[in-house]
Amino acid sequence: MSKRYTIEIPASAMKKTGFKSNEQLELNVNHNEITIRPSKVTDQLPRIKLYWYILPAILLTVSFFIFCRNHHMRTVPITGGYSIANGSMLLSLVSGLFVFVVSFIVTKLRNNGPTRNVYWRSLPTITIACGLIIAFSFSAFFWLLGKLFMDACFDIYTSTTFVFVIIALINYLMINLALTLTSGIITNLLTIMIIGGMLFSMLTNSTRDWWKHNFSFLGTSQNPANLQFNVTLIFSGLLMIALVDYLFVNLQRKYPGVKTQLLRWLLYGEAACIAAIGLFPNDPKFHILHDRISMWLVYIMLILIVAIRWILPEVTKQFLTISYVIGAVMGAEYIIFKLANYLSLTAFELIEFALSFSWLLLLLQNIENLAQYGEQLFLVKIRDDSTDETLVGTEKQPQDEAKS
């Protein structure tokens, strides 16, 4: 007979799962990780009723069809002024953001989903960020289709079908997002906003030699696509504030004190600087202010790296080592840029951005793990039934150790 093991799960964790005693569950082992979940796949997915996303899609698709008939359009091009691209993007934005907001509000009022830890003030920021991501994604997707199928057109019925499928798909994704919104998802939105927005600005920039100036050139009036770049930075900063709000709801409950508050306000300051760089681009009238804000962004980052040993609860040696290495590389790069004139200004700014943003994501991930202990993450034990020997686990939760 093969050996059997028992996993001891805390009662507080069981209450959050809704599992019942002797209920049959599915255990999945993948890369040294064990996941226990309901055996039915449908039980793992949010319960989204068909009419929640189909009904708005039908109403807006009918309006698209009527618009095309009134303009006597027998065929509709993929891209262009009156096209499938513009029609589906506009209608998907209206419908997708509407169902997202409604689903978010209903879930939060019922207090039965992860949105209960999201402040109401974060809703406009998250909604606009989702709208920008949809707009960027549609622009890139249909730009590619326009290159692959140049001058392609479809009849009005086929075009209407395409628009309906796209709107329904966006509605479903946005409802699912509202029902499963977590700090990890907000972090992904933040990453997509910053990286996607910058790449989109670079691709749509008609000044091909912008990199000979500096990275901030993308946000100046000399760049025709400066609006996308600046809006991306503004809402990336606001989205980061929403993420910090979300994370510190549980973190400050477990680790109250001045140090946690200081960490929170330093992150607020970092987010405010990111938004302000987009709000005050590097144009002549804002040049000095833009440079000052950029320097404060660097100063706050350095303060965080130096002080993280004392202000981040339960900080690990591995994260400290990574922090100091990144800080040293950033400092060395600055010295090389100033004294040796080895790097161009654009290269210097891009490398500094990549290092600081990577470290910031690592910091937010560490804070997320701390905030989830006792809420979504629990320490458990594995016992060998034949010897009653504990193989993995510990009695205390990390927050309990901090209090003792």
Side-chain angles (χ1 to χ4, degrees):
M1 182 177 179
S2 61
K3 298 177 67 174
R4 299 178 66 87
Y5 298 92
T6 301
I7 299 178
E8 296 182 0
I9 301 176
S12 56
M14 283 297 293
K15 290 180 181 179
K16 293 179 179 294
T17 63
F19 296 155
K20 298 178 182 179
S21 180
N22 298 321
E23 180 181 354
Q24 186 175 5
L25 302 172
E26 178 182 285
L27 187 144
N28 180 46
V29 180
N30 185 24
H31 298 294
N32 295 326
E33 291 185 356
I34 294 177
T35 303
I36 300 176
R37 58 194 181 191
S39 56
K40 294 181 179 179
V41 178
T42 54
D43 293 340
Q44 304 172 34
L45 302 174
R47 297 176 182 267
I48 302 176
K49 297 187 182 298
L50 187 66
Y51 68 87
W52 291 359
Y53 58 95
I54 291 296
L55 185 58
I58 291 175
L59 294 175
L60 291 179
T61 303
V62 170
S63 67
F64 175 82
F65 181 81
I66 294 173
F67 177 87
C68 293
R69 287 293 296 268
N70 289 341
H71 284 75
H72 307 289
M73 299 174 63
R74 295 184 177 180
T75 59
V76 183
I78 292 181
T79 59
Y82 295 149
S83 62
I84 297 174
N86 286 346
S88 59
M89 181 173 69
L90 178 61
L91 297 177
S92 294
L93 276 172
V94 172
S95 182
L97 297 183
F98 173 76
V99 297
F100 173 79
V101 170
V102 172
S103 302
F104 180 97
I105 293 173
V106 171
T107 305
K108 188 163 180 64
L109 290 177
R110 290 179 177 176
N111 198 31
N112 61 353
T115 53
R116 62 178 177 270
N117 291 327
V118 181
Y119 288 111
W120 285 107
R121 63 174 176 264
S122 301
L123 177 58
T125 299
I126 296 174
T127 303
I128 295 174
C130 291
L132 291 173
I133 291 173
I134 292 174
F136 292 155
S137 302
F138 267 85
S139 299
F141 176 71
F142 280 104
W143 174 82
L144 179 61
L145 282 185
K147 296 294 183 182
L148 293 175
F149 306 100
M150 193 171 296
D151 300 327
C153 295
F154 295 93
D155 66 86
I156 187 173
Y157 300 102
T158 305
S159 302
T160 302
T161 303
F162 284 156
V163 171
F164 169 76
V165 171
I166 292 171
I167 297 174
L169 176 62
I170 295 297
N171 286 348
Y172 180 85
L173 293 176
M174 295 303 288
I175 294 173
N176 186 77
L177 176 64
L179 298 180
T180 59
L181 190 64
T182 61
S183 56
I185 291 176
I186 299 177
T187 303
N188 292 336
L189 291 176
L190 175 64
T191 305
I192 294 171
M193 271 286 294
I194 293 180
I195 304 300
M198 289 180 178
L199 289 176
F200 186 77
S201 299
M202 294 177 188
L203 291 174
T204 56
N205 179 23
S206 59
T207 307
R208 298 305 175 189
D209 58 348
W210 64 270
W211 53 272
K212 295 181 180 179
H213 301 273
N214 51 51
F215 189 56
S216 298
F217 178 84
L218 292 173
T220 63
S221 57
Q222 301 176 58
N223 174 25
N226 66 327
L227 181 62
Q228 295 95 315
F229 183 81
N230 292 327
V231 168
T232 294
L233 289 178
I234 292 171
F235 282 99
S236 294
L238 295 177
L239 195 58
M240 182 175 167
I241 291 175
L243 176 60
V244 173
D245 270 347
Y246 184 100
L247 292 175
F248 277 79
V249 169
N250 291 323
L251 190 68
Q252 285 190 290
R253 190 184 305 133
K254 298 171 185 174
Y255 303 98
V258 178
K259 293 180 180 179
T260 307
Q261 283 283 9
L262 179 59
L263 176 60
R264 182 176 192 168
W265 284 102
L266 284 172
L267 289 172
Y268 279 154
E270 194 80 357
C273 287
I274 293 173
I277 289 174
L279 191 61
F280 303 104
N282 196 21
D283 288 323
K285 61 179 178 180
F286 295 130
H287 175 70
I288 296 177
L289 181 59
H290 179 89
D291 282 353
R292 295 284 174 84
I293 295 171
S294 300
M295 290 309 300
W296 272 109
L297 182 69
V298 177
Y299 294 152
I300 295 174
M301 178 66 67
L302 293 176
I303 292 172
L304 278 168
I305 291 176
V306 172
I308 202 65
R309 174 188 292 271
W310 298 279
I311 61 177
L312 178 64
E314 303 286 338
V315 62
T316 63
K317 291 183 179 180
Q318 182 183 15
F319 182 65
L320 280 177
T321 302
I322 293 174
S323 301
Y324 295 149
V325 168
I326 290 178
V329 172
M330 291 175 66
E333 188 200 9
Y334 178 78
I335 294 173
I336 293 173
F337 171 72
K338 283 294 185 181
L339 300 182
N341 200 24
Y342 177 73
L343 296 170
S344 67
L345 179 56
T346 304
F348 168 74
E349 290 178 335
L350 284 174
I351 295 173
E352 289 284 305
F353 165 76
L355 289 172
S356 58
F357 186 64
S358 299
W359 182 82
L360 196 59
L361 289 179
L362 287 175
L363 173 60
L364 293 173
Q365 185 180 37
N366 275 266
I367 295 174
E368 180 183 359
N369 290 336
L370 286 171
Q372 286 181 344
Y373 272 115
E375 298 291 333
Q376 293 176 289
L377 296 178
F378 298 85
L379 294 181
V380 299
K381 291 180 180 179
I382 300 179
R383 289 187 179 275
D384 186 341
D385 286 351
S386 59
T387 62
D388 198 30
E389 178 186 358
T390 301
L391 301 179
V392 179
T394 181
E395 291 288 346
K396 291 186 177 181
Q397 299 285 346
Q399 62 268 26
D400 297 331
E401 294 178 358
K403 293 176 183 177
S404 60

